[in-house]
Amino acid sequence: MELTETQEQILDAAMSCIVRDGIDGTSLRNVAREADVSLGLLSYHFDDKRSLIEASFRLSTNRLYEASVSSLVGVDGADDRVRAFIRGAFHGEFLDPHYLALRLALWAIARTDPEIAAVERGLYERYADQMTDLIAAARPELTRSEARDRTTDVIVTQNGLWLNWARHSNRADLERGLARCDEIALQR
């Protein structure tokens, strides 16, 4: 579904409220105020708090995936494409403390909410499928299962890098961790 500018404005406001107030503290009224829209306009686009939160998480996960995929534009060479994809979600807004807090909220609510878990799982599968394809292209001697195992190991390491960045924001640690992801994905 293509979002309108107003819907995206509302969802960005909802993400800000989730980060600032938590899921329980986020209300339609607070989101409308943050988005600078009427409660009626918000309700026209989103039926309830549940659909608003789900759409917010869907937008944030889509942005992350799209950044990873767009990092491949103009990159030649199978190894370089793996490296670019690994780094695609480790810049700009995705290293911002507010975005990281949103990711943590997504992971937390996904543990208890099946719809949010499906959003998170969808991102994971799309991302993992893309990375597996890239690793398989760079290392054609691997079976699909071996390429997928490497993908899982890279994703686990990336998740640790996000947590470490959220705590310490140390660029040297991040770069070293991303280099380790490259090694995991591309080892011969």
Side-chain angles (χ1 to χ4, degrees), residues 39-149:
L39 187 56
L41 181 61
L42 186 148
S43 297
Y44 172 78
H45 290 290
F46 301 97
D47 294 333
D48 53 23
K49 178 180 167 178
R50 177 86 204 71
S51 64
L52 178 66
I53 289 173
E54 184 178 335
S56 297
F57 283 136
R58 188 172 309 284
L59 177 60
S60 74
T61 59
N62 285 340
R63 285 176 176 167
L64 181 69
Y65 180 74
E66 288 165 11
S68 298
V69 170
S70 69
S71 71
L72 299 173
V73 173
V75 178
D76 296 322
D79 286 14
D80 289 338
R81 289 176 62 77
V82 170
R83 288 184 191 98
F85 191 74
I86 286 170
R87 284 162 179 72
F90 284 91
H91 61 84
E93 74 176 285
F94 305 113
L95 293 178
D96 180 88
H98 288 88
Y99 183 81
L100 294 170
L102 185 67
R103 295 295 319 157
L104 292 173
L106 171 61
W107 288 340
I109 196 170
R111 305 240 333 133
T112 60
D113 185 302
E115 286 87 12
I116 298 298
V119 170
E120 199 278 329
R121 186 48 138 183
L123 169 67
Y124 180 90
E125 291 301 326
R126 282 188 301 159
Y127 185 87
D129 288 347
Q130 181 72 47
M131 183 165 313
T132 300
D133 291 345
L134 292 166
I135 291 171
R139 296 295 177 266
E141 69 276 8
L142 296 176
T143 66
R144 184 78 181 169
S145 178
E146 290 169 330
R148 188 59 169 222
D149 287 347

Side-chain angles (χ1 to χ4, degrees), residues 2-13 35 37 41 45-46 59 63:
E2 187 73 26
L3 295 174
T4 67
E5 186 177 321
T6 300
Q7 288 169 322
E8 200 160 333
Q9 175 184 342
I10 291 168
L11 294 175
D12 284 333
V37 299
L41 181 61
H45 290 290
F46 301 97
L59 177 60
R63 285 176 176 167

